[in-house]
Amino acid sequence: MERPRAHYRDLLARYLTPQWRRAVALALLLFTVTGLQLLNPLIIRRFIDQAMGGSAADTLAVIAAAFMVVAIATQAVSVAATYLSEQVGWTATNLLRRDLTMHCLRLDMPFHATHTAGELIERIDGDVTALANFFSQFVIRVLGSGLLLLGVLALTFREDARIGLALGAFVLVAAAVLSRIHSFGVPYVTADREAAARLFGFIEERLAGADDIRANGAGPHAMRGYYQSGRAAFRSARKAAVVNAGLVSATMLLLMLGYALALALGAYLYRAGEITLGTVYLLFQYTELLRRPLMQVTQQLREFQQAGAGAVRVRQLLDIPAAVPDRAGEPLPDGALTVAFDDVSFAYDDEGPVLSDISFRVEAGSVLGVLGRTGSGKTTLTRLLLRLYDPTSGTIRLGDIDTRAAGVAGLRQRVGVVTQDIQLFQATVRENLTLFDSGIPDDHIIRVLTDLGLDGWLASLAGGLDTELEPAAGGLSAGEAQLLAFARVFLRDPGLVILDEASSRLDPATERLIERAVGLLLSGRTGIIIAHRLATVQRVDHILILEDGRIAEQGTRRALAADPRSRFSGLPRAESGGAVTARGDAGDETDPRPLLLVGDEGA
């Protein structure tokens, strides 16, 4: 189990240092409230001794009024300290959530392939929420309790050294026992947090696939997995709860011993005539004051266990490096971009090469059509161009600049992608089109929508650009969603546009609108069209056919179509359902499988 102390120090230094003024004000309030808590037992002792000595009622009334004033002031200062500590804590944790979210967004596809969205939500929200108390209540209660403990021991030692030594020994024993129990409990709380994250990840994944689960009758299987994940989370939570219960029981036992010690010592000294009855009360009241900080420290130690587990998991997440390093790289040139692959090979982990020795060049303003079976590497080609991955070997150049030398953000700003699956958010039309970039003016958005033929659709919306879209693009047709995706790319004005069969799921009438949008989008830009259907590549200048991660054929579309020996010329019969084969170099039929399959690609 990794010790969390270094993580605490890192997090405190990073997120509390910018709030040092509030921290200083909080410290002053803590000193004030501690002094007021120590003052009232002294006032009560004076009241008791004065009453036992037969003082006048007016004198007792003044002492009682002083007690009320101090009690009210103590509550007022406590409220102010609590408010300030919560403000400090939530400011720190909100900044931490922001940093974690941005870090996760910057991490690469290998990371997200092995971590579900539900698990990451639990990391960003659940673990950080556990730390909220560490940043706020932990500070005010533990540090405040520490000050109170020191004050009680100092005042009791001043009253009688024997009393001070006895209570000091009691505090040391209690602190040692509680610290030992805390260290014992951290691994169990960490396991509880991890089991909860796995459960949330399972639920998120099954809810996301609810339609497929219902359609295929997999509900019982999903529920069985839920019971298994829930059982594991329950067992981990039960172990953590048992440890916490042990911490509470140990604290209660220690407090009973403390009360017994105070009563016995007070009775002995009073009978010996060495202290007054008021001092006996003072001793008991100060022991009661010790109870509150010990109980608060105990409660904080329980939550400190959760914070310890959260701190470790948060630090581990922040320490995960991006597989694709980003830097302030060389900017890509304006206008249409040239694309060049030079002996590029790529593999996902140890699964074997997905692309091998890929070399081709697309001149600025030209359009390349990429064809191939499912799993041939077409989509991997796209991911490399976006720098979702870097090639295992070889070089990729955009605008004659090595993609590794270009900053990730700047590169992705110059490369636009439209796929079959459009991700729209439950946000306004404006926010969906600009991806929450408030710097794009409305007149530019409206002009783009008009060019794409969506002006009538926009006019039909009651709120115009401020209309909020329904979850999962509800209320939009497939064609409208696709055209909104084209509008996003237009607003960015990239130099390279990648279309991953953006019209394969549309009816013919809507497809004609999309084809018009494609023509507008590719005008003056370099284009790469990932095709699953032959009709899609009729507008391209060059053809690239992939097979098993290698280039099987490339050339101009017209030259390949006119060559009866080319693979490309045989594709019309393959798509129409004829017994068309992939031809070997000699033109004989060496592979009975169709070269082009209609459908999505997973590689």
Side-chain angles (χ1 to χ4, degrees):
M1 171 65 191
E2 188 176 357
R3 297 183 68 83
R5 293 176 183 173
H7 303 302
Y8 294 141
R9 289 195 298 269
D10 293 343
L11 293 173
L12 283 172
R14 183 171 181 177
Y15 294 101
L16 288 187
T17 300
Q19 302 184 74
W20 66 269
R21 290 184 177 85
R22 291 177 181 171
V24 170
L26 181 59
L28 293 175
L29 290 174
L30 288 176
F31 278 111
T32 302
V33 76
T34 300
L36 292 172
Q37 287 177 314
L38 293 172
L39 179 59
N40 251 344
L42 294 172
I43 296 175
I44 296 176
R45 181 184 68 169
R46 183 175 180 81
F47 182 89
I48 294 173
D49 288 344
Q50 290 286 337
M52 294 291 293
S55 296
D58 290 344
T59 301
L60 296 178
V62 171
I63 298 174
F67 173 83
M68 294 297 295
V69 170
V70 171
I72 294 172
T74 301
Q75 291 300 315
V77 176
S78 296
V79 169
T82 301
Y83 173 82
L84 188 57
S85 70
E86 288 291 336
Q87 189 176 35
V88 169
W90 281 102
T91 300
T93 49
N94 284 338
L95 291 174
L96 179 56
R97 285 189 182 90
R98 179 203 64 186
D99 291 347
L100 275 175
T101 302
M102 288 301 301
H103 181 67
C104 288
L105 289 175
R106 288 169 179 157
L107 288 175
D108 313 283
M109 294 185 68
F111 170 82
H112 290 284
T114 56
H115 295 78
T116 64
E119 178 186 353
L120 295 180
I121 290 172
E122 178 64 12
R123 285 281 190 100
I124 294 171
D125 186 62
D127 288 341
V128 175
T129 298
L131 283 171
N133 180 73
F134 170 67
F135 282 118
S136 57
Q137 291 299 315
F138 183 83
V139 174
I140 186 173
R141 291 183 179 177
V142 173
L143 295 184
S145 298
L147 290 173
L148 186 59
L149 283 172
L150 292 176
V152 167
L153 293 177
L155 290 175
T156 52
F157 194 86
R158 191 192 68 171
E159 293 291 333
D160 191 290
R162 292 166 294 180
I163 297 176
L165 290 174
L167 289 184
F170 165 70
V171 169
L172 289 176
V173 171
V177 172
L178 294 177
S179 176
R180 179 68 176 174
I181 296 176
H182 158 66
S183 299
F184 176 77
V186 169
Y188 294 96
V189 179
T190 301
D192 178 32
R193 301 298 307 168
E194 291 175 349
R198 288 193 294 270
L199 176 61
F200 276 100
F202 179 89
I203 293 173
E204 181 275 333
E205 190 175 49
R206 297 310 182 271
L207 289 177
D211 290 342
D212 288 336
I213 289 174
R214 287 195 296 263
N216 292 280
H221 171 74
M223 291 306 299
R224 183 166 58 252
Y226 169 75
Y227 290 136
Q228 291 171 347
S229 299
R231 188 180 301 114
F234 166 73
R235 289 172 177 169
S236 297
R238 182 174 59 187
K239 291 178 181 178
V242 168
V243 173
N244 286 336
L247 182 60
V248 173
S249 299
T251 304
M252 296 303 298
L253 177 61
L254 288 170
L255 291 175
M256 286 188 289
L257 292 175
Y259 283 132
L261 175 65
L263 288 173
L265 190 58
Y268 170 77
L269 295 175
Y270 179 70
R271 287 173 62 88
E274 298 186 33
I275 59 175
T276 65
L277 184 62
T279 304
V280 173
Y281 171 80
L282 180 69
L283 173 60
F284 184 83
Q285 189 65 21
Y286 276 167
T287 305
E288 171 66 15
L289 283 181
L290 289 178
R291 179 192 69 82
R292 279 185 284 177
L294 282 175
M295 287 295 294
Q296 288 180 346
V297 169
T298 301
Q299 178 184 351
Q300 292 307 302
L301 284 177
R302 290 202 307 270
E303 299 188 8
F304 195 59
Q305 291 173 353
Q306 296 182 352
V312 171
R313 285 159 54 81
V314 164
R315 189 70 259 174
Q316 288 174 342
L317 182 56
L318 287 173
D319 288 343
I320 295 175
V324 177
D326 192 12
R327 61 183 66 87
E330 188 175 353
L332 298 182
D334 295 331
L337 297 172
T338 58
V339 179
F341 276 58
D342 296 329
D343 295 322
V344 170
S345 296
F346 176 76
Y348 294 101
D349 298 326
D350 298 325
E351 299 177 3
V354 178
L355 294 176
S356 300
D357 304 322
I358 301 296
S359 295
F360 65 87
R361 181 178 178 87
V362 184
E363 297 297 336
S366 298
V367 181
L368 173 71
V370 182
L371 305 172
R373 296 188 186 91
T374 296
S376 61
K378 301 188 300 296
T379 299
T380 300
L381 212 67
T382 302
R383 292 171 179 171
L384 293 176
L385 285 168
L386 285 168
R387 278 205 81 193
L388 299 177
Y389 299 91
D390 279 334
T392 306
S393 62
T395 304
I396 301 174
R397 292 185 174 85
L398 291 176
D400 295 324
I401 294 175
D402 191 332
T403 54
R404 292 189 183 94
V408 172
L411 181 147
R412 292 174 185 169
Q413 189 66 29
R414 299 285 292 127
V415 179
V417 181
V418 181
T419 65
Q420 299 175 27
D421 300 315
I422 308 304
Q423 179 65 58
L424 295 175
F425 303 97
Q426 188 177 358
T428 65
V429 173
R430 179 188 295 102
E431 291 167 336
N432 270 281
L433 292 176
T434 63
L435 291 178
F436 307 95
D437 181 0
S438 58
I440 300 178
D442 285 357
D443 57 350
H444 185 30
I445 299 173
I446 294 172
R447 184 165 61 253
V448 167
L449 292 178
T450 301
D451 291 341
L452 293 176
L454 287 173
D455 48 335
W457 170 79
L458 181 63
S460 69
L461 301 178
L465 292 176
D466 293 316
T467 303
E468 184 164 314
L469 298 182
E470 299 176 14
L476 292 178
S477 67
E480 290 168 342
Q482 200 82 52
L483 287 170
L484 289 179
F486 278 98
R488 281 178 177 172
V489 178
F490 268 107
L491 291 172
R492 289 170 52 191
D493 192 20
L496 170 64
V497 175
I498 302 173
L499 305 178
D500 192 353
E501 193 59 277
S503 60
S504 64
R505 297 182 179 178
L506 306 176
D507 59 84
T510 306
E511 188 172 344
R512 284 192 291 271
L513 293 176
I514 297 295
E515 285 298 314
R516 177 177 175 274
V518 170
L520 292 172
L521 187 59
L522 293 179
S523 177
R525 299 180 177 91
T526 306
I528 294 179
I529 299 178
I530 309 295
H532 303 288
R533 299 190 301 170
L534 190 60
T536 310
V537 297
Q538 296 307 307
R539 66 170 69 249
V540 307
D541 303 303
H542 301 273
I543 294 292
L544 179 71
I545 297 178
L546 292 176
E547 185 172 350
D548 296 329
R550 295 180 180 273
I551 295 178
E553 187 171 81
Q554 64 174 314
T556 65
R557 179 177 60 84
R558 293 183 181 278
L560 292 178
D563 183 0
R565 295 168 55 85
S566 72
R567 296 168 181 260
F568 180 69
S569 66
L571 293 180
R573 287 180 293 161
E575 189 166 87
S576 64
V580 178
T581 61
R583 302 175 183 272
D585 292 338
D588 55 334
E589 296 184 356
T590 58
D591 188 346
R593 299 172 297 166
L595 177 63
L596 185 66
L597 300 180
V598 179
D600 296 337
E601 181 195 0

